[in-house]
Amino acid sequence: ESCFLVGGPEKPREQIGDGLELTIRGNPSFSRVRRVSVGLRNLSGREIPQGRVWMDELRMGDVRRETGYAARASVNLVLADLASVSAAVSQTSADFLRLGQSRGTGTADLAYTLGTQVNLNKLVDGARIQAPLRFSYKRGKRTPKFRPNHDVEFVSDTGPEVAVNWQRDVARSLARDARGMSPMLMRYTLDAVRVNGTLSRSYDTNVNQVSESRTRSGSAVYDLNFSQFGPLRVFKHAEFWPWPRSLQANLTGSRSERTLSTRDLTDPTLLTPNPGTLTRSGMLQLSASVQPIRLVTYTWTSGRDLVGDHFQHESETVRQQRRPANLFGMDLGRQTRQTNTVNVNYTPSFARSFRPRVTWTGSYSYNADPNLTRADYDSTVVDVSNNSTANLSLTVPLREWVGK
């Protein structure tokens, strides 16, 4: 008198008419149906010598025809040179079809962003500084149309099945406004310095895990440009620059903390915390550019790791090879990268109608990242590379030839 779909916990029975009850067990899904069996059960207690059973074909009616949609909106507000605000939101339904798709993704996406910048220096009249403050916020949510391995619609707006992620950043920059003429001492000290700082926090959750991270980072840049100094004339048509064209020092550092929790397989609402991770980084990058003559430019770049924990190694030999450098008692860390590049650019004075141009670039670089040296190595591993490229270009003046 009842119909049972075996498997899983039994759900409340439902009267379907003519004294029949329908009971559903488990979570049936039409997408998992592989075979349908139909039969008769004799409840009369006596033998039926013969009979005939007619069964009509099975059809699925009332096919659902879902309409997909997508929407996007954005707004921008500019308050002169004081502040600016921008916001955007986009939404896509689970049945939305993009070009080349025959079915929807099965997931509804909702995302919105908010960004703003305020020039704090505009609030102080006559301040010769640049102090922009930036704030940005991003949030996204992915909601499945059906539960995993089910054909029953997922109607909730929360739960482990809904993937949510967001990120929030606050950035601050400070530099002196170098417009106009400045005293030489100011030009090569405060005018050449720029300081930046960022606070970031992010959150991400899905069916497998929940993670959250916090990051603090900062940088200080000292940039000198000597292009305003003219060359020395050795001969009438010979010019020589004995000083560098530019010098730059970039100091960066960051600290990131991340927590991770794993969802239980049987009950996704239960979270198992994992050990948190702490990541620190500190880099000092130095670079210089020299152009002794107009044809030749030499660029040197060096990267130094300031975190001593990155060079802890089981081998005493490796630790001695990677000792930090010191300058007047100041720790300069350990050099991990260096690049030397020479660029030659020559345009001959002959055959000017073809505008010939010859360029050659040669570079030497090495990478001594501590991750290249494994724990069982007894010497530091260095990755060295050399590259050179030569190029000759000519321009055929077809327009001039045709005109003649």
Side-chain angles (χ1 to χ4, degrees), residues 27-231:
N27 297 298
S29 172
F30 282 109
S31 61
R32 294 184 296 169
V33 174
R34 295 294 180 266
R35 183 180 63 184
V36 177
S37 300
V38 179
L40 294 178
R41 185 169 54 180
N42 186 5
L43 301 178
S44 62
R46 63 180 185 275
E47 181 180 356
I48 301 177
Q50 61 181 359
R52 181 179 299 179
V53 176
W54 290 80
M55 176 185 168
D56 200 358
E57 59 184 354
L58 296 179
R59 293 186 180 183
M60 296 183 63
D62 298 331
V63 178
R64 302 182 62 176
R65 301 184 181 274
E66 304 288 352
T67 302
Y69 65 90
R72 181 182 302 169
S74 62
V75 61
N76 293 280
L77 176 64
V78 179
L79 302 176
D81 57 352
L82 174 61
S84 62
V85 180
S86 62
V89 59
S90 62
Q91 185 174 11
T92 305
S93 68
D95 300 295
F96 178 71
L97 298 180
R98 293 179 171 85
L99 292 177
Q101 291 183 337
S102 59
R103 63 175 60 185
T105 61
T107 303
D109 296 330
L110 174 63
Y112 53 88
T113 60
L114 174 66
T116 181
Q117 175 176 324
V118 180
N119 297 319
L120 299 179
N121 53 288
K122 298 299 180 180
L123 301 178
V124 181
D125 188 23
R128 296 197 57 184
I129 59 173
Q130 296 177 355
L133 176 63
R134 302 178 180 88
F135 171 80
S136 65
Y137 181 77
K138 303 177 182 179
R139 185 180 181 90
K141 184 172 69 172
R142 297 174 60 88
T143 306
K145 184 176 181 179
F146 303 100
R147 293 183 181 273
N149 300 321
H150 287 216
D151 57 7
V152 179
E153 281 199 25
F154 179 73
V155 295
S156 177
D157 199 34
T158 58
E161 295 85 358
V162 180
V164 178
N165 62 84
W166 56 263
Q167 181 174 339
R168 184 178 60 205
D169 299 321
V170 179
R172 176 84 178 269
S173 179
L174 182 63
R176 190 174 184 274
D177 192 348
R179 290 179 297 180
M181 296 298 296
S182 299
M184 181 174 293
L185 179 61
M186 189 72 69
R187 189 186 311 161
Y188 296 113
T189 53
L190 294 180
D191 287 357
V193 177
R194 185 173 66 255
V195 181
N196 304 286
T198 303
L199 296 176
S200 179
R201 184 180 179 183
S202 62
Y203 176 85
D204 187 11
T205 176
N206 52 49
V207 294
N208 299 318
Q209 61 187 23
V210 177
S211 63
E212 185 175 359
S213 63
R214 301 170 184 262
T215 302
R216 292 178 293 176
S217 61
S219 66
V221 181
Y222 181 74
D223 192 357
L224 285 179
N225 193 331
F226 300 98
S227 59
Q228 67 273 17
F229 293 98

Side-chain angles (χ1 to χ4, degrees), residues 19 21 73 92 104 115 121 180 217 220 241 243-244 350 394:
E21 293 180 343
T92 305
N121 53 288
S217 61
W241 284 266
W243 41 78
F350 56 86
L394 297 172

